[in-house]
Amino acid sequence: MQKHWQYLHPLLGLVLLVVFLGHASGWYRVDLVSRLDAIIYDARLRLTAPGGVDKRIVIVDIDEKSLAELGRWPWPRDQLATLVDRVFEQYHARLLAFDVVFAEPDRSSGIDTLEHLAKEKLRSNREFQAEIKRLRPELDYDARFAAAMHGRPVVLGYYLGNAVLSTGALPEEVLPAGSFGERPVAISSWKSYGGNLPILQNAARTTGYFNPLVDFDGIFRRIPLLAEYQGAYYESLALSVVRALLDFPPIFPGFAAGSKEYAGLEWLDLPAENITLRLPVDANVAALIPYRGPQGSFPYVSASDVLQGRLPQDALTDRIVLVGTSAPGLVDLRATPFAAAYPGVEAHANLIAGILDQRLHHKPEYALGVDLLSLLLVGLTMIFLAPRLSAWRATLLAVTLLAGLLSLNLAFHQWGLLVLPLAANLLLLLCLYAINMSWGYFFESRNKRQLTKLFGQYVPPELVVQMSQDPEHYSMAGRKARLTVLFSDIRGFTAISEHLPPDELGKLMNLFLGAMTELIGTRRGTLDKYIGDAIMAFWGAPVQDHEHARHAVETALTMQGHLPDLNSELNRRGWPSLAIGIGINSGWMTVGDMGSPWRQSYTVMGDAVNLASRLEGVTKQYGVGIIIGEGTRELLKDQFLLREIDCIRVKGRNEPLRIYEPLALTEKATASQQQHCAAWHIFLEHYRQQRWAAAGTQLTLLAEQLPPGLLQLYQRRLEHHRATPPPANWDGVADLTEK
């Protein structure tokens, strides 16, 4: 079976490679790959966008403010005439372009009514006829708008469509029919147009369509620079603005090297006086919009502020001015890589700036070859090399390939302005990596199961799984390590056991030990053993844990915090409540597989372990739930709010030891707890300096906040020391004689 699967493994990889090669070659389309490529393109565009504000182009915005101040759109064209005059006479703009079409005559002046009266009821009134003749030029708003544009660098917009009828005037073509010969150019073709009034069309310097190309996912990423209508070719608004700035250079199409049947259109050249601008285009003769960033990458000014002359004098000086709208009600908001609602006029501004800066990204014909070559390289490497490597080396290889693909793709995009496909390579790499890992799982899992069976004799099950993922990094041999060990014990267990039947006692202990062991396991603790009603656990081995002291103390606090809920359940079953004491210590100890030929266990030994057991016993004398030693406190630093309990000398040790009770994580400690600790440490200072009266006063103030056992212990000590003062060189250390 394994032998056959070894042949099936590369065969499956080759099938996947062929599938992705077919997509990249264009034999068919895999929708998932296409959508992922679009997502990657958008993410790459956002990542590399230059940001900032390009002040060369200013957007005169028909915004909500303008609509509120001047009324709903469309405005009377005498106001637009005023706007044109303001832009050029007062603000001295370089060029003005309208991302708006003026398809219908403006009758808002009332001239139609007056003309009707002049022809009917008042046709014999000479004074009325003379006044109409005088007022006609003033009331013909279209003529006034056309007069304002005449002789000025004004570009109008229009749209192409597929309706039955066309309206308005069509501008002159920029390339005649047959300009591309027999070459295959998939240019967008339209059946109708919506143009401007002839009087306005003739007055403008030039006109360009503002149709976008919306991709399959509804995102506005491209604008066709040329479009076809009845065999002739017309220019976009952005291209017409650039050509107007350059004094209308001719357009020369550029084709990739190759035969006429296969070489597609790849760029348009604009040979100006001192420079030739090259505009890379795709198969649809569309340019990718080089978005600078989110909305606001170009200055916006309110149209009402322009009309009222409220702008600073230099706000539009020598700038390209685009008139458009960001008002939601005027339906010129597009879904783009940067926003779901992005003003169409700013998309045109981005394209104009990109053309002028010669910063247009493009996907050349040879991108197909690059995609196929990289797919072969990635595929063959992962199919034939990765299976020969260990799991971590195969992962390193996959990560290296992934990093290489991402880095090169991003570098070509940023510095070469090339858009190269990436999704097929990424998906192929991930799929082949998954196949390799699956093969490793199914046919190496037997070894891991054997390892698990061996380690399961010594190591708690919750850590065996993690160890089996990388078994060569773990050893059961004894070694020295700095770890943290915890002992817990039930208070008064002998009395409890005497009053419960054996079966009931067994159920109680199973419930208690199960709950406490689960808490230990959730914080990466290793359960060492149960010693009657006591629990021994440690942290930091066999799986390394740099936070072993923190996890041990967190576990202890959680165990104490869980007792009320556990006791409620015990009481509900008619069993007594339980109280536990916990001792924790950190230090160097021996950890490993220890025992005899008949029985072994993975455990810890050493003086630090013995001290932890002693500290658990000390909790009874001080009446507190948890005590930690100095070794643990050193590792905790300031992570917990600690109350120093005492400085003691335990039996069998000469060196004094300070012991502490953890109250809470520092960030969760209440102000009351912090104040209590500060006051308690003042008491200890009085106590150790033999200031018995001050210590007694301070202890009285703290009485309500102290555990009864701790309060009573120090009250007895104060009474004893007052009656029998210690010597002057007393060090404040309490000698404990009990283990």
Side-chain angles (χ1 to χ4, degrees), residues 177-219:
S179 295
F180 301 143
E182 298 178 358
R183 296 177 185 269
V185 178
I187 192 168
S188 58
S189 180
W190 305 89
K191 298 178 181 178
S192 65
Y193 60 85
N196 295 280
L197 295 174
I199 187 175
L200 303 180
Q201 172 72 44
N202 295 332
R205 181 73 57 88
T206 185
T207 309
Y209 62 82
F210 42 68
N211 296 61
L213 273 185
V214 179
D215 288 339
F216 65 94
D217 55 358
I219 302 300

Side-chain angles (χ1 to χ4, degrees), residues 112-301:
D112 286 350
T113 302
L114 295 177
E115 292 281 6
H116 178 75
L117 290 173
K119 291 178 182 179
E120 298 293 337
K121 294 183 180 181
L122 299 176
R123 64 177 179 271
S124 59
N125 189 322
R126 294 181 179 180
E127 293 181 358
F128 185 79
Q129 294 292 338
E131 188 65 16
I132 283 293
K133 184 177 181 180
R134 185 184 69 80
L135 290 175
R136 188 173 286 114
E138 296 182 21
L139 297 179
D140 189 346
Y141 289 171
D142 288 327
R144 290 183 61 183
F145 186 29
M149 291 190 291
H150 185 73
R152 288 169 169 165
V154 177
V155 180
L156 292 181
Y158 71 103
Y159 64 88
L160 297 168
N162 289 309
V164 176
L165 298 176
S166 298
T167 59
L170 184 68
E172 292 185 7
E173 63 198 38
V174 293
L175 288 176
S179 295
F180 301 143
E182 298 178 358
R183 296 177 185 269
V185 178
I187 192 168
S188 58
S189 180
W190 305 89
K191 298 178 181 178
S192 65
Y193 60 85
N196 295 280
L197 295 174
I199 187 175
L200 303 180
Q201 172 72 44
N202 295 332
R205 181 73 57 88
T206 185
T207 309
Y209 62 82
F210 42 68
N211 296 61
L213 273 185
V214 179
D215 288 339
F216 65 94
D217 55 358
I219 302 300
F220 182 19
R221 300 182 181 91
R222 302 178 294 155
I223 292 178
L225 296 184
L226 296 177
E228 184 267 334
Y229 172 72
Q230 293 187 352
Y233 302 99
Y234 298 86
E235 64 184 336
S236 69
L237 180 65
L239 183 56
S240 64
V241 168
V242 172
R243 291 184 66 238
L245 291 170
L246 301 177
D247 199 19
F248 299 100
I251 299 173
F252 292 100
F255 294 90
S259 66
K260 292 183 179 180
E261 290 78 15
Y262 296 102
L265 180 66
E266 285 207 354
W267 67 83
L268 303 174
D269 279 342
L270 302 180
E273 183 176 351
N274 298 318
I275 186 174
T276 295
L277 297 184
R278 175 158 291 183
L279 285 56
V281 295
D282 61 16
N284 304 122
V285 199
L288 289 165
I289 303 171
Y291 289 100
R292 293 184 59 85
Q295 180 182 353
S297 297
F298 298 87
Y300 277 71
V301 297

Side-chain angles (χ1 to χ4, degrees), residues 87-109:
V87 166
F88 288 106
E89 293 178 2
Q90 181 175 347
Y91 296 115
H92 309 291
R94 184 178 179 186
L95 179 143
L96 174 63
F98 285 89
D99 183 23
V100 181
V101 62
F102 303 102
E104 299 177 352
D106 182 359
R107 301 302 184 189
S108 61
S109 66

Side-chain angles (χ1 to χ4, degrees), residues 595-613:
S596 69
W598 293 275
R599 185 174 182 180
Q600 293 182 323
S601 65
Y602 189 78
T603 187
V604 289
M605 294 182 178
D607 185 61
V609 179
N610 297 334
L611 181 56
S613 177

